[in-house]
Amino acid sequence: MVTRTDYLVIGAGPAGLQLGYFLERAGRDYLILEAGPTAGTFFRTFPRHRQLLSINKQHTGSSDPELNLRMDWNSLLSDRERLLFTRYTERYFPDADTMVRYLSDFAEALGLNIHYGCRVIRVTREEYFHVVDQHGSEYEAPLLIVATGPSKPYVPDIPGIETAELYGTVTVNPRDFLDQRVLIVGRGNSAFETAENLVETAAVIHLAGPSSVGMTWRSHHIGHLREALLEGHIRRIDRADDGYLVTVSLSRCDKGAQRIPYDRVIVCTGFRFDNSIFAEDCRPELVIDDRFPALTSEWESVNVPDLYFAGSLMQVRDFKRSTTGFIHGFRYCVKALHRIMEQRYHDVPWPPRGLPADPEALAVAVLCRANRTSALWQQFGRLCDLVVLEGAEVAYYEELPVDYVHEGRVASRENFFTVTLEYTADAALHPVVRHYRQGRLLAEHHVAENIDNDWTSEVAHRDPLRAFFGDELEAVAVYR
C-alpha cells in the first residue's frame, strides 16, 4: 500500500515543523516523515555539550511580540502565544534538552501530521516522487520538501584525517583530556564549543582553520568564532607513538610548514547534506565542496523540479553571510517558501496591503515596518519588503527573498521599491530603500543610523525618506 499526499516533508526538526504549521493552517494535504521517535531528534545529540548558542531573552522591555522575536532566536512562528520558546526557560543560552521538549510540544499542540520512526532510505521519481522508509513503507507526492539539515559529517580532504576523532562521537568528558595537547580542526560553532569544554583540563588547545577566523561582531554570522588560537592550513595528519604529528603551514609565519605534536586531534568541521538516498535520475546537484544542494531563489533544486529544501539547507543562497543556517533566520525563509508554493501551485497570491502612492504614506509605512520587523532584522539584506507602484496606489508586500524579487516576475514590473535592513562597514544596522524600473536600479536611500535602532525621528529619518519618495514618484510621473 502506498500513502499518497500532495506535500511530503522529510524531517520533523524545526524547519519541518515550521513548514507543517503553514501547510496545516492552509488546509493542505501533507505528511511529515521523521526518522526519530519524537520531533527534534537532532537536538537529542547536538550540540554535544548541550548548550545552545542561540539566545533566549525573556525580558526585552517591550510587549510587542514582533519586536520580541528579534531577541528570541529559538521560537517557531505560530499564532499560539504559549508556543514561544521564551515560555520554557529563562536561560539566555538554553539547554538543548529544552529545545527537544519545545519542538515536541509544538508538534503535538498544533496537531501536525507526522509519522515517527520512518527513516527514508530511497527516493525515486517517475510521475511523482516515490519514497521508501526502512520498514518498506511507501509514500508518493508531486512535491517533496527535504528538511533534514546537513546530516552527514563533513570531513575535509586532508591526508591522515581519517585517523582523527570526530565531533559527533568523541568523548565530551573534559577529564578525558587531562594535561593533553589537543588540536581541533575547524573554526565554527562545534570547534568553539569543543574548545570551551576543554579549557579547564587540556594542557594546550589549538584551533586550526584554512583562513582567518571570522569574528561575530564583524560578520554578524553566529557560526563565526569569538576567538581563535591557531590559524593555518593543515597539510597532513600522521599518527606518531601514542599521539599525532600534524604538519601545519601557519598563516602568519614565514618559516614554512611546521610539524606539531598533539595527543588528540578532533575534527569539528561541520556537516554536509547526504544525497545518497536519491536515485541517480532525481539526485540533487551539490555545491560548496558538495556540502549543500544547489538551489534556485525559490529554494528549489536547480536540477530536480518540485524538489524543495527547508531549514538550514537554505543557507546555500547566502552561505556565511546571513542567519539562514539557524532557526531565527530560516523560520522566515520557510514562511516565504510556503507563500511561494501557495502562489505557484494553488494560485494564491502573496498577500499585499494597499497604500496611496503618496510620499508621506510610504515613508510612514516603511519606517513603521523597520522599527518593528523581526524578519528583515534577522535576515538582513536577504529578505525585503516590496512596494509596487500601481497607478495612484501601491501594493505593499512583506518579507520576500531579495533574490526571488530580482530573479522572478517582479523584476519585470515597471516601478517598484525594495526595503531592507542592512549593516554598514562599521556594523551599524539601518533601513535601505531602493527604486527599480524593470529590474534596473534607479536610486537608493539609506536611512540615517541610530544607536538604538530607532528610526522614528521626524527630522533625521522621516523627512529625508519622504523627500526621497517624493523625488522618485515625481520622476515616475515624468517618465510616464
Side-chain angles (χ1 to χ4, degrees):
M1 179 178 176
V2 178
T3 300
R4 292 181 172 86
T5 185
D6 291 339
Y7 292 83
L8 188 60
V9 182
I10 302 177
L17 299 183
Q18 186 67 88
L19 182 58
Y21 164 76
F22 289 115
L23 292 170
E24 180 75 25
R25 192 174 66 169
R28 302 302 174 198
D29 180 24
Y30 74 96
L31 174 63
I32 302 173
L33 301 180
E34 167 57 40
T38 65
T41 300
F42 174 87
F43 290 98
R44 290 177 175 270
T45 303
F46 300 104
R48 294 293 315 284
H49 303 94
R50 310 313 292 149
Q51 185 183 69
L52 301 177
L53 293 179
S54 46
I55 66 174
N56 175 64
K57 188 166 178 59
Q58 281 192 347
H59 307 291
T60 65
S62 172
S63 60
D64 185 338
E66 174 71 12
L67 201 63
N68 286 339
L69 280 172
R70 293 180 176 184
M71 299 296 119
D72 173 0
W73 289 8
N74 299 285
S75 290
L76 298 180
L77 306 176
S78 80
D79 55 3
R80 306 282 185 92
E81 186 178 353
R82 68 183 181 88
L83 290 178
L84 290 173
F85 191 89
T86 49
R87 297 289 188 93
Y88 281 68
T89 177
E90 291 185 344
R91 291 185 59 185
Y92 190 71
F93 292 113
D95 187 89
D97 291 331
T98 306
M99 175 61 75
V100 176
R101 182 162 57 92
Y102 169 72
L103 295 176
S104 296
D105 288 353
F106 188 93
E108 183 177 355
L110 295 169
L112 302 185
N113 189 19
I114 306 172
H115 286 188
Y116 294 105
C118 298
R119 179 173 54 85
V120 173
I121 62 172
R122 188 68 170 166
V123 178
T124 58
R125 184 178 187 179
E126 292 182 3
E127 182 181 2
Y128 294 142
F129 289 100
H130 187 88
V131 173
V132 180
D133 69 15
Q134 83 275 26
H135 306 296
S137 300
E138 300 177 59
Y139 311 85
E140 281 188 351
L143 298 174
L144 181 64
I145 303 96
V146 178
T148 58
S151 58
K152 185 176 181 179
Y154 169 67
V155 181
D157 186 16
I158 299 172
I161 199 168
E162 70 279 359
T163 65
E165 300 173 90
L166 296 177
Y167 165 74
T169 54
V170 68
T171 174
V172 294
N173 184 351
R175 297 198 64 80
D176 290 339
F177 297 84
L178 280 173
D179 294 318
Q180 294 183 352
R181 294 173 55 86
V182 180
L183 173 66
I184 298 173
V185 182
R187 55 189 183 92
N189 282 341
S190 59
F192 181 74
E193 168 200 346
T194 301
E196 186 175 44
N197 185 55
L198 303 180
V199 163
E200 295 178 351
T201 57
V204 173
I205 304 171
H206 287 167
L207 285 84
S211 59
S212 296
V213 175
M215 299 300 177
T216 304
W217 63 267
R218 181 183 297 126
S219 67
H220 315 290
H221 181 267
I222 67 169
H224 286 159
L225 291 178
R226 282 68 168 177
E227 61 177 300
L229 304 178
L230 182 69
E231 293 180 9
H233 292 269
I234 299 175
R235 300 305 181 187
R236 64 178 299 110
I237 300 171
D238 295 301
R239 291 303 304 260
D241 299 326
D242 294 330
Y244 297 84
L245 275 177
V246 180
T247 305
V248 181
S249 296
L250 298 178
S251 301
R252 300 181 182 180
C253 179
D254 57 4
K255 296 181 180 180
Q258 300 184 34
R259 286 170 64 80
I260 306 175
Y262 295 99
D263 297 296
R264 309 280 282 270
V265 177
I266 307 171
V267 181
C268 300
T269 47
F271 297 86
R272 61 179 291 269
F273 173 62
D274 183 6
N275 69 349
S276 62
I277 63 171
F278 290 87
E280 189 65 33
D281 60 353
C282 66
R283 183 168 297 163
E285 179 183 325
L286 301 181
V287 292
I288 310 180
D289 297 326
D290 290 341
R291 293 182 65 184
F292 296 96
L295 305 182
T296 70
S297 59
E298 297 182 353
W299 297 293
E300 182 181 22
S301 169
V302 298
N303 66 307
V304 183
D306 302 319
L307 173 61
Y308 292 87
F309 292 84
S312 59
L313 291 171
M314 291 170 144
Q315 69 180 292
V316 69
R317 297 287 304 187
D318 51 40
F319 188 57
K320 294 193 176 182
R321 292 173 297 176
S322 192
T323 62
T324 312
F326 311 94
I327 293 174
H328 64 289
F330 69 61
R331 62 191 177 191
Y332 300 107
C333 294
V334 173
K335 180 181 179 181
L337 170 61
H338 176 253
R339 283 178 167 170
I340 288 170
M341 293 192 297
E342 285 286 294
Q343 186 169 269
R344 179 171 176 179
Y345 298 104
H346 306 286
D347 294 321
V348 178
W350 203 292
R353 58 188 170 101
L355 291 172
D358 173 77
E360 173 69 17
L362 292 178
V364 169
V366 166
L367 292 180
C368 282
R369 278 285 294 162
N371 279 289
R372 290 192 67 235
T373 174
S374 174
L376 303 192
W377 171 284
Q378 306 289 14
Q379 284 286 6
F380 46 88
R382 304 301 164 189
L383 291 183
C384 69
D385 283 358
L386 174 68
V387 181
V388 179
L389 296 184
E390 298 176 343
E393 299 286 323
V394 301
Y396 195 109
Y397 302 85
E398 296 181 359
E399 302 168 16
L400 290 86
V402 172
D403 290 348
Y404 174 72
V405 167
H406 292 299
E407 297 175 14
R409 290 176 292 177
V410 175
S412 63
R413 301 299 288 266
E414 190 68 20
N415 282 281
F416 63 91
F417 297 85
T418 61
V419 181
T420 53
L421 292 179
E422 299 179 19
Y423 284 93
T424 61
D426 59 350
L429 191 69
H430 67 292
V432 182
V433 183
R434 294 181 173 91
H435 179 198
Y436 295 88
R437 178 179 297 137
Q438 296 181 339
R440 182 170 62 90
L441 178 63
L442 298 181
E444 69 179 61
H445 175 76
H446 292 251
V447 176
E449 303 159 12
N450 180 273
I451 192 170
D452 293 319
N453 299 312
D454 179 1
W455 301 288
T456 57
S457 168
E458 184 79 22
V459 174
H461 304 126
R462 188 181 299 180
D463 285 351
L465 183 56
R466 181 170 51 226
F468 171 78
F469 277 123
D471 291 343
E472 296 310 303
L473 292 176
E474 183 177 345
V476 168
V478 171
Y479 175 77
R480 287 175 175 167

